[in-house]
Amino acid sequence: MKRLRFGMLALGFSAGLAQAADPSVAQRVEQLLGRMTLEEKVGQLNQLSGKEFTGPATEKVRGMEAEIRSGHVGSMLNIKGVADTRRLQALALESRLKIPLLFGLDVIHGYQTVFPVPLGESASWDLEAIEKSARIAAREAASSGIHWTFAPMVDVGRDPRWGRVMEGAGEDSYLGSRIAEARVRGFQGARMGGVESVMATAKHFAGYGAAIAGRDYNAVDMSDHQLFETYLPPFKAALDAGAATFMNAFNTLNGIPATGHAGLQRDILKGAWGFKGFVVSDWGSVREMVVHGYAADLPDAAAKALNAGSDMDMESNAYSSALAAQVTAGKVPLAQVDDAVRRVLTKKFELGLFDDPYRFSDAAREQAAMSDPRHRQAARDIAGKSIVLLKNEGAVLPLRRGLRSIAVIGPLADARRDLEGGWIVKSGADKMASLVDAVREAAGPGTKVQYAPGCDVACRSGDGFAAALQAARGADAVVLALGESWDMSGEAKSRADIGLPGRQGELFAALRAIGKTPVVVINAGRPLIFEEVAEQAPAIVYAWFPGTEGARATADVLFGDVNPSAKLPMTFPRNPGQLPISYQQYETGRPVRDVKNIVYRSAYIDSPNTPRYAFGHGLSYTTFAYRDLRVSDARMRADGKITLSFTLANLGKRAGREVVQLYLRDPVASIVRPVKELKGFQLVTLGAGEARQVSFTIERETLSFFDRKLAWTAEPGAF
Ligand code: BGC
């Protein structure tokens, strides 16, 4: 097995903290392991999807039931609800050793209550709110029998053509790490085994977000340095926060499928980082190693995956069909199978499933969790914190109350299902408000609210434009809701053109042509490109897919009941030619210093280098001033600390919240550092006219980076 050369380095990451195993659990695991046949061991590493179980009792269902009864299945995904989880658990308890099943599910941004898509939520930079949303999702999911969520996705994403940026925390490794921790804490609660918690999964290990050209599942080719600097830290942060499991990835990383990557899984994750949980493959990713051209056939793939550290096989049927024979043939050491089984059983014990296999599936708790009104309130609050005010010329927003009439138009104006976004468990669209409803509620009975869609989201035809223009004509204010449908972002939803779909831009232009200046609301799962709107709309509200209460939260922002504070977690490009894009660029030898002089400079001759909206951008209805920046000392010793402080003042007439961001630059180093790196942030709420001192501590850690040998170092110099 070819190993990465960084294999055994300490890697500047300390070994995982929250991973120490309970000795009594370890004993029980060993006892059980001692009684297991090879076939039963392999069974624990086999995960099947239970979608079929919700349909009629076909041959396939009967076959799967028999597999569970005979101990050939360790875990199921896509089974949910007290009734179904209990029914299947009962089958597992008929097996010889009565080892309970683990039920996993993609609880990505809510279970019943849908929160903003993770990228949107990340725009809040509000770790408390993010943790709370994961906590609520866990409470709802756990009560209906789910033990384990396949979240958070902590892949850094710098190419919005990749549809899965929707599931992550954006482009930045530091912000992504803090959010990864918050999500893991939220899902898992204070300690493993609580009945209102689910195990978290840090996914997809690793590099998946850097798919070439933003095309999902595509190969990834990057330097070890980039991997360490940008892509691995959120995984390490998730691990340190106690993430019980990891999921590997579909992609190859420098020619080796992540699923068969021993350097990643054995050397880094289970070696240097000391991860004690287990790794699940991605859906069918063991089998896909054959398609990649890395394994000759399914048995070969099974051996390569297990040897490389993939403990559980999701839906490839590679382990169940071939692993035992590969052990017998000497291709896989039994000790490695034992190690994988030990990891899986440990989690089952820690969850308390051997003591009560049904403890998560509780009808009364399910009922209580699903009807808790606080969950929807939290969804509205968090959505309000996630909505980014991109532009607000002439303070067009907030809308005044008491207007005679408002026209809410556009293909997303009356959308409900779209507002939930992708990767939801079950749509609750029938119980949601659309933006039209929410504006009506917020404006009150004195304001006439008119609605016309103009076109559907794909917007292939302009036949509805006339009616929309008609609705807009007499209105005192026009809100135009544009963007993507829920299924345009997400897995396998890469787009080569990330513009507004179809003729949506023409609808905007038609409104401008009749002299209207619409406030534009955009729903999407990714940064979109909308140059004309960006230039000409007086106000733009980027609402992502904001979830169950998203329309009301959007109206809260439009009317100023919520003063927006969100900041972009991803750079918004001007055109697809700039992709991939991130604020964290490296200086070239020929940087553009003056946009009027780009001859033989690192530039495009047909586009500026600068983005449309920068990472960290987001406006408020008030204005903040930063003044009196001070450093406690101009020099810092290697083991010392200095404090950076300044006064933040709210100059406006309303209370507001600022996300203060600390960036640093190391201008000369043994390996070139990015022109700007996020090193800290704080959320500060100030009343109108209020001012407060804000400070950050800078220490060796703040100034450290991975050097050429991938050692975590700080070098003396100016910063
Ligand atoms: C996705 C994973 C997901 C899994 C199970 C795969 O296609 O890549 O993120 O957890 O399916 O649904």
Side-chain angles (χ1 to χ4, degrees), residues 439-709:
V439 168
R440 261 193 200 118
E441 271 172 34
T447 304
K448 189 170 157 212
V449 176
Q450 296 213 68
Y451 160 66
C455 57
D456 62 8
V457 177
C459 205
R460 295 209 175 80
S461 150
D463 292 353
F465 286 11
L469 296 179
Q470 188 51 36
R473 229 170 231 118
D476 294 340
V478 179
V479 176
L480 174 62
L482 303 175
E484 295 186 312
S485 57
W486 69 269
D487 55 356
M488 286 180 181
S489 278
E491 184 178 348
K493 297 293 154 56
S494 291
R495 292 177 63 196
D497 171 359
I498 53 169
L500 290 166
R503 298 175 61 181
Q504 289 189 25
E506 287 176 42
L507 178 58
F508 170 77
L511 280 165
R512 296 277 302 137
I514 60 162
K516 289 290 170 185
T517 49
V519 167
V520 176
V521 173
I522 299 179
N523 291 116
R526 52 153 68 88
L528 293 178
I529 294 171
F530 41 88
E531 282 299 281
E532 205 176 326
V533 172
E535 294 284 352
Q536 295 177 18
I540 305 172
V541 170
Y542 214 80
W544 314 101
F545 293 130
T548 305
E549 286 291 324
R552 292 198 178 94
T554 307
D556 289 340
V557 168
L558 290 175
F559 285 92
D561 299 331
V562 164
N563 186 358
S565 57
K567 307 274 184 191
L568 296 178
M570 267 185 96
T571 304
F572 276 45
R574 294 173 189 272
N575 53 62
Q578 293 180 315
L579 300 176
I581 191 167
S582 160
Y583 80 92
Q584 242 190 48
Q585 312 221 335
Y586 299 93
E587 196 61 290
T588 66
R590 297 181 177 201
V592 176
R593 302 270 190 235
D594 168 8
V595 290
K596 287 194 233 53
N597 176 17
I598 60 161
V599 183
Y600 289 104
R601 297 268 131 198
S602 181
Y604 301 101
I605 57 172
D606 56 355
S607 162
N609 288 354
T610 54
R612 169 49 67 184
Y613 299 110
F615 174 85
H617 169 74
L619 304 173
S620 162
Y621 294 143
T622 187
T623 341
F624 294 99
Y626 289 67
R627 51 181 183 234
D628 307 330
L629 179 68
R630 288 176 301 276
V631 265
S632 60
D633 205 326
R635 285 173 171 275
M636 189 187 103
R637 292 169 50 95
D639 57 354
K641 282 182 190 339
I642 56 172
T643 311
L644 190 80
S645 52
F646 57 91
T647 304
L648 180 73
N650 178 351
L651 304 182
K653 293 201 170 52
R654 55 169 79 215
R657 183 162 86 153
E658 173 73 327
V659 182
V660 177
Q661 302 155 45
L662 172 70
Y663 294 91
L664 218 126
R665 179 164 187 189
D666 182 350
V668 182
S670 58
I671 186 161
V672 170
R673 309 299 308 136
V675 291
K676 228 171 128 185
E677 284 180 277
L678 182 69
K679 290 290 184 176
F681 61 90
Q682 290 179 40
L683 275 54
V684 185
T685 302
L686 294 176
E690 200 188 335
R692 193 180 309 157
Q693 170 135 333
V694 179
S695 56
F696 288 90
T697 304
I698 293 174
E699 50 199 336
R700 186 189 172 96
E701 182 67 16
T702 328
L703 308 178
S704 297
F705 62 94
F706 289 103
D707 71 8
R708 229 175 304 178
K709 295 190 178 128

Side-chain angles (χ1 to χ4, degrees), residues 77 106 150 164 203-204 247 250 282-283 314 423 491:
L77 74 154
D106 291 275
F150 305 127
R164 297 196 83 167
K203 74 184 186 185
H204 305 84
M247 183 186 290
F250 290 125
D282 204 346
W283 179 289
M314 179 193 284
W423 271 131
E491 184 178 348

Side-chain angles (χ1 to χ4, degrees), residues 81-131:
V82 167
D84 283 349
T85 52
R86 283 191 165 248
R87 191 165 60 80
L88 294 188
Q89 197 62 292
L91 297 177
L93 298 178
E94 288 177 35
S95 65
R96 186 179 79 95
L97 293 171
K98 306 186 182 351
I99 303 177
L101 289 169
L102 265 184
F103 294 110
L105 189 72
D106 291 275
V107 182
I108 305 297
H109 53 115
Y111 184 81
Q112 174 179 272
T113 311
V114 179
F115 291 91
V117 291
L119 182 64
E121 217 176 63
S122 303
S124 71
W125 297 52
D126 187 328
L127 302 177
E128 228 172 90
I130 291 170
E131 179 172 340

Side-chain angles (χ1 to χ4, degrees), residues 214-521:
R215 201 180 75 220
D216 205 5
Y217 315 127
N218 205 3
V220 171
D221 200 299
M222 70 165 78
S223 68
D224 294 347
H225 194 264
Q226 191 53 233
L227 183 68
F228 275 76
E229 177 149 299
T230 305
Y231 291 83
L232 290 187
F235 286 99
K236 182 57 167 59
L239 183 146
D240 285 343
T245 75
F246 268 53
M247 183 186 290
N248 56 37
F250 290 125
N251 58 284
T252 53
L253 174 65
N254 303 332
I256 301 180
T259 304
H261 208 302
L264 282 173
Q265 301 181 115
R266 291 220 181 268
D267 296 345
I268 298 178
L269 180 59
K270 294 176 178 175
W273 293 0
F275 175 60
K276 296 290 184 290
F278 69 88
V279 179
V280 64
S281 79
D282 204 346
W283 179 289
S285 68
V286 177
R287 183 184 346 110
E288 287 178 18
M289 292 206 295
V290 178
V291 190
H292 279 298
Y294 190 71
D297 49 25
L298 201 59
D300 190 29
K304 286 189 163 130
L306 197 287
N307 284 335
S310 294
D311 299 309
M312 186 181 278
D313 168 5
M314 179 193 284
E315 271 287 325
S316 282
N317 278 307
Y319 289 4
S320 61
S321 66
L323 191 57
Q326 293 291 65
V327 173
T328 314
K331 301 253 172 64
V332 177
L334 181 61
Q336 299 224 349
V337 173
D338 284 347
D339 176 64
V341 176
R342 207 174 267 129
R343 289 169 181 270
V344 172
L345 293 178
T346 300
K347 293 302 164 205
K348 292 186 176 183
F349 276 107
E350 286 174 0
L351 288 170
L353 295 178
F354 284 94
D355 305 317
D356 176 3
Y358 302 106
R359 63 194 292 263
F360 286 82
S361 313
D362 181 310
R365 210 171 45 238
E366 185 178 45
Q367 165 67 23
M370 301 308 169
S371 56
D372 191 332
R374 290 172 303 178
H375 294 187
R376 279 187 90 123
Q377 280 158 22
R380 181 167 178 171
D381 175 62
I382 294 169
K385 290 173 169 156
S386 305
I387 294 171
V388 187
L389 181 63
L390 289 179
K391 185 176 178 188
N392 192 21
E393 244 169 41
V396 191
L397 287 178
L399 295 174
R400 266 193 306 115
R401 283 209 160 77
L403 292 177
R404 211 167 26 83
S405 64
I406 302 177
V408 184
I409 61 181
L412 283 130
D414 203 34
R416 292 179 182 79
R417 171 66 193 89
D418 289 320
L419 301 190
E420 294 176 308
W423 271 131
I424 57 167
V425 176
K426 182 173 171 287
S427 173
D430 52 335
K431 295 180 203 74
M432 280 168 59
S434 70
L435 187 60
V436 180
D437 303 331
V439 168
R440 261 193 200 118
E441 271 172 34
T447 304
K448 189 170 157 212
V449 176
Q450 296 213 68
Y451 160 66
C455 57
D456 62 8
V457 177
C459 205
R460 295 209 175 80
S461 150
D463 292 353
F465 286 11
L469 296 179
Q470 188 51 36
R473 229 170 231 118
D476 294 340
V478 179
V479 176
L480 174 62
L482 303 175
E484 295 186 312
S485 57
W486 69 269
D487 55 356
M488 286 180 181
S489 278
E491 184 178 348
K493 297 293 154 56
S494 291
R495 292 177 63 196
D497 171 359
I498 53 169
L500 290 166
R503 298 175 61 181
Q504 289 189 25
E506 287 176 42
L507 178 58
F508 170 77
L511 280 165
R512 296 277 302 137
I514 60 162
K516 289 290 170 185
T517 49
V519 167
V520 176
V521 173

